[in-house]
Amino acid sequence: MSARAVVGRVVPGELSARVPVEEREPGRGRDGVRLLVSAGEREPRVGWFTELPGLLRAGDLLVVNTSATLPAAADGRLGGEPVVVHFSTRADGTGPGERWAVELRSPDGRGTTGPRPGGPAGAVVALADGARLELVEPLAPGAERLWWARAGGFGAADGSGSAVVAWLRRHGRPIRYAYTERDQPLAAYRTVFAAAGEDGGGSAEMPSAGRPFTARTVTELVRAGVQFAPVTLHTGVASAEAHEPPYPERYAVSPHAAWLVNAVRAGGGRVIAVGTTAVRALESAVGPDGRVRAASGWTGLVVTPERGVRVVDGLLTGLHEPEASHLLMLEAVAGAAAVERGYAAAVRARLLWHEFGDVHLLTRRG
């Protein structure tokens, strides 16, 4: 049994969710996962995600990420070496010569990948149908995992405005990590909130906190008086081994979403972010006066307990690895003690980790 310490606790390795709940437990839908609830100073409790409409109140607001997951993994060759390319983030601009931040991985023979050194500069990765990537430079000085690459030979763009996205839809597949059991269709990595954005972009990895929501759950929440505010943040490739803080990512908070957040706060309702990506987008749009304004562009915000949160009262999220920088965001929302109590309860209850696992609702007040 492999194990890791989580805020002073031990997480058995078998608590990784290896397939979606609808495959683990036939007869259950996406909403058939468990829900850990950490509310203020109360002792955490474990229930079911389908109880969520009864845990929120009329006047509360759920902020959801509408970014759609891309089939962002593709096979290639670097010289004589087989590699898997994870397409992380597209730079601004369209047309010939697109630039993408990419991560090169080594296939492990089991359908998943392991880390490999980045670069070198000037190297060319050959891909299907004559497409190629020329590695230019690391995404950030001293960071060798993600590299900017210049795209060529990818053919014509589609409605996304990106030739690379059009190519990925023909040749790519969802990014898959070693704890998963087998490949899944792209639909398994898209949430009910996923929509084609005006910028034509998408996420390298699923905004997974939204995965358990179904049309039925959304209907029940609306019937209970809970509102929804859509925001967008296109997630890049996570650091599966090193757990680095997130790099800058493209986001958008619309005037309507900003108005909803401000109105709910003024009326005494709670603003609950669905996923760490929704927190990052929303907190990037807060002005010095504490009000949310329409905003878009790139955000490098890393939410920590020292920085705190300014508009988010709660967070619905998955269970994160003990080394993950996301845990700092959880502490910023609910406090270190609540996170420790919650993760201890998660281990005792044998909850499941990762994007196909169970979820955790943390709120600053009950």
Side-chain angles (χ1 to χ4, degrees):
M1 176 189 299
S2 64
R4 295 186 178 96
V6 174
V7 285
R9 309 294 173 176
V10 172
V11 178
E14 65 266 21
L15 294 188
S16 293
R18 304 193 184 281
V19 296
V21 62
E22 55 269 32
E23 293 183 24
R24 292 195 304 269
E25 303 181 45
R28 289 193 180 275
R30 286 180 170 220
D31 57 2
V33 296
R34 287 179 289 178
L35 175 65
L36 171 67
V37 181
S38 298
E41 298 299 320
R42 301 176 188 173
E43 282 300 308
R45 72 174 188 86
V46 177
W48 293 94
F49 179 77
T50 50
E51 299 172 34
L52 184 64
L55 297 173
L56 302 182
R57 300 192 293 260
D60 285 345
L61 178 70
L62 289 171
V63 181
V64 299
N65 186 359
T66 62
S67 182
T69 310
L70 298 174
D75 296 321
R77 296 194 73 84
L78 180 58
E81 174 193 2
V83 295
V84 174
V85 181
H86 288 175
F87 288 79
S88 181
T89 305
R90 183 178 63 177
D92 288 331
T94 58
E98 286 182 45
R99 280 168 59 98
W100 279 75
V102 301
E103 179 187 30
L104 301 188
R105 308 272 297 180
S106 295
D108 61 7
R110 301 189 300 273
T112 54
T113 62
R116 69 174 296 284
V124 175
V125 180
L127 299 162
D129 276 358
R132 62 192 180 278
L133 292 169
E134 180 186 353
L135 302 179
V136 178
E137 61 185 352
L139 184 63
E144 296 291 316
R145 183 176 65 89
L146 291 173
W147 279 64
W148 284 117
R150 186 177 297 109
F154 280 81
D158 61 6
S160 70
S162 166
V164 172
V165 170
W167 182 92
L168 284 171
R169 287 174 177 151
R170 298 191 302 272
H171 299 288
R173 60 185 180 274
I175 290 174
R176 177 186 161 201
Y177 289 115
Y179 51 77
T180 56
E181 189 172 290
R182 54 182 170 269
D183 288 341
Q184 297 289 338
L186 183 60
Y189 289 91
R190 284 191 166 170
T191 74
V192 71
F193 305 113
E198 292 182 2
D199 63 359
S203 287
E205 297 181 358
M206 172 175 56
S208 55
R211 190 182 193 278
F213 285 86
T214 62
R216 178 180 63 183
T217 309
V218 172
T219 300
E220 291 178 357
L221 284 160
V222 171
R223 186 182 297 134
V226 177
Q227 300 183 79
F228 287 82
V231 299
T232 300
L233 186 136
H234 297 317
T235 64
V237 175
S239 173
E241 288 84 22
H243 299 289
E244 303 157 355
Y247 288 95
E249 294 165 320
R250 188 181 289 114
Y251 81 105
V253 176
S254 69
H256 174 67
W259 180 88
L260 267 176
V261 172
N262 293 329
V264 164
R265 296 187 72 219
R270 298 177 299 178
V271 176
I272 311 292
V274 178
T276 58
T277 60
V279 175
R280 198 178 195 207
L282 198 56
E283 292 287 329
S284 297
V286 180
D289 58 358
R291 290 179 60 81
V292 177
R293 291 171 172 80
S296 63
W298 293 83
T299 177
L301 177 65
V302 178
V303 177
T304 65
E306 292 73 25
R307 190 266 186 191
V309 289
R310 298 171 184 172
V311 295
V312 172
D313 298 300
L315 170 62
L316 181 73
T317 184
L319 293 165
H320 301 284
E321 290 282 359
E323 304 91 346
S325 61
H326 292 313
L327 288 176
L328 296 174
M329 181 183 291
L330 272 61
E331 292 182 8
V333 171
V339 174
E340 181 174 359
R341 287 194 302 268
Y343 272 66
V347 173
R348 289 195 302 270
R350 310 288 291 173
L351 298 190
L352 297 181
W353 260 246
H354 303 303
E355 67 267 32
F356 296 137
D358 298 309
V359 287
H360 188 187
L361 175 64
L362 302 103
T363 56
R364 289 194 282 177
R365 48 193 170 105

